[in-house]
Amino acid sequence: MFVREAVRERDNYARHRGLDPSGVDAVAVVRRRGASWRDAYVLTTVSEYFGLSREAER
């Protein structure tokens, strides 16, 4: 859910600025309850992290 929204926001950001979405990172920073923001998690998918296309799944 977090990562899906991050990807959607990345696409909007890139589209409005005339950028290629593949050149913009999409991550979600999720703060752990009771922990400092420095101990938050940074989430993405393996395909986003490595720049894999949907065709690579097949």
Side-chain angles (χ1 to χ4, degrees):
M1 182 167 89
F2 294 119
V3 175
R4 190 177 318 140
E5 180 66 20
V7 170
R8 188 177 7 243
E9 290 298 327
R10 184 266 324 266
D11 292 344
N12 290 335
Y13 177 89
R15 184 175 60 251
H16 290 289
R17 287 161 180 81
L19 302 172
D20 180 6
S22 66
V24 180
D25 291 329
V27 298
V29 178
V30 182
R31 188 173 160 259
R32 295 171 24 200
R33 185 179 5 200
S36 165
W37 64 270
R38 291 174 182 256
D39 295 322
Y41 296 113
V42 177
L43 305 174
T44 192
T45 63
V46 170
S47 61
E48 286 292 324
Y49 186 78
F50 289 109
L52 304 175
S53 66
R54 287 287 177 208
E55 287 78 37
E57 288 181 11
R58 298 167 197 237

